[in-house]
Amino acid sequence: MLTKADIKFVKSLNEKKERYANKLFVAEGNKLVIEILHSKISVTRIFANENWLNLNEKLVGKNIEITLLKHAELTRLSNLQSTREVIALCKIPEYELDFNRLSGLTIALDTIQDPGNLGTIIRVADWFGLNNILCSKETVDCFNPKVVQSTMGSISRVKLFYGDLSIWLNKIEQPVLAASVEGTSVHEYTFPENAVLVIGNEGIGIGTELKPLIQQNICIPRKGSAESLNAAIAAAILIDRYAGLNF
Amino acid sequence: MLTKADIKFVKSLNEKKERYANKLFVAEGNKLVIEILHSKISVTRIFANENWLNLNEKLVGKNIEITLLKHAELTRLSNLQSTREVIALCKIPEYELDFNRLSGLTIALDTIQDPGNLGTIIRVADWFGLNNILCSKETVDCFNPKVVQSTMGSISRVKLFYGDLSIWLNKIEQPVLAASVEGTSVHEYTFPENAVLVIGNEGIGIGTELKPLIQQNICIPRKGSAESLNAAIAAAILIDRYAGLNF
């Protein structure tokens, strides 16, 4: 049975403060929940319809609280326009950032604010096997429901760390590269095997306090008239160019 | 003054049928409207606040009907979460598709359904100076308000054509390439100078009726675990690879 307290609690997790106070985030939909159940992220509670529970009985551990719901009840819990058959409450994973273990390309996000952009960047990182993303404190929380949904499951595999990018970039021994409107063309640049790639804010680019820490600006040459590229698109093009040279 | 009939009419243009019956679409926000006013697309009517009108007086032609509105009235007309200072009604441009004039890379979209994806692809095409996009009839309408907004102005420069892709791809003499999960790696493929690049539907990929028309499948090699890449991301990576070889 769905109680008013359940609805209030699940909806409260839309707020970052409540997510971190409870160390929980929400995931909706069959594909996403199954990917999380297969991952190292713990699921504490599942709200699902009978059909979903019947199909996934074996996957749901005994330590997970299960609430069987009808479609209309799931709709009341859901953040999505079209309600899915399952909603899971998942433990926010706590990862330890070890600079000595960073290898390959590490992505650093400076104040990425659009949840769809962050979700897409996480999905792209996962496609190319990049496991670590450093985020400035002003970057949208990766357990925001819109981000979680738009990662299409990749949130269960890619590790995100939030902190002071200027401190981290100072500390990192690898070359710090950045997506920029100026600099060496991505078509001519030879990416090193190990590096950090900074992607700036959608509107204002990379913060002034980070600029002195960047050793190499890389641009995507424009031939047409669009004023800018979406941050996730720019990130994907640069990561693909890195992948073409280093994989 | 804003009449009830105005509100009803502007809101009716959210529907494709009404847009094409009236040959009009809606654009919101300073940057987008100014880009359209500078383009070949005709604007028939502008709803704006006093500040916007004062700043842009010279840009607004005498043949454009102007309605001065307060913020609360603009909010009643707007489709956006945060109301902008200007909303324009624009004539849907009618372009003629001339296969003899297609040169460089032409994008063909097979049933792209997400408005944000289409808007992003239009913006990417505009960045790389690709002027023509062929769309299957099932692809979301490019004058859908969400598409228009997410093009960030590029809708005023890139020409989209809707029709039967299988007929068109049969007719085109240029090689037909496709973004695919299999095929030659984009990191190894040498793009020809003139070609058509087919991007398939977000979920099901390229339609079975189009597959026999494709001469070259190109994949973006996966190293990690994400099941797929977003259609706009895949398009951008392939277009950038083309650009690196041909610009």
Side-chain angles (χ1 to χ4, degrees), chain A residues 123 127 187 224 228 240-241, chain B residues 123 127 187 224 228 240-241:
Chain A
R123 191 172 160 199
W127 178 271
H187 303 158
S228 64
D240 172 69
R241 288 278 167 181
Chain B
R123 191 172 160 198
W127 178 271
H187 302 158
S228 64
D240 172 68
R241 289 278 167 179

Side-chain angles (χ1 to χ4, degrees), chain A residues 24-64:
Chain A
L24 289 174
F25 72 95
V26 180
E28 297 195 43
N30 181 52
K31 199 178 158 297
L32 179 56
V33 173
I34 286 182
E35 291 220 30
I36 290 175
L37 284 168
H38 279 299
S39 79
K40 287 180 181 167
I41 293 178
S42 304
V43 173
T44 62
R45 189 166 180 186
I46 279 180
F47 302 91
N49 65 21
E50 203 171 350
N51 184 42
W52 191 88
L53 284 171
N54 286 339
L55 285 170
N56 296 288
E57 204 178 356
K58 284 182 187 163
L59 201 59
V60 180
K62 284 179 183 166
N63 52 343
I64 300 177

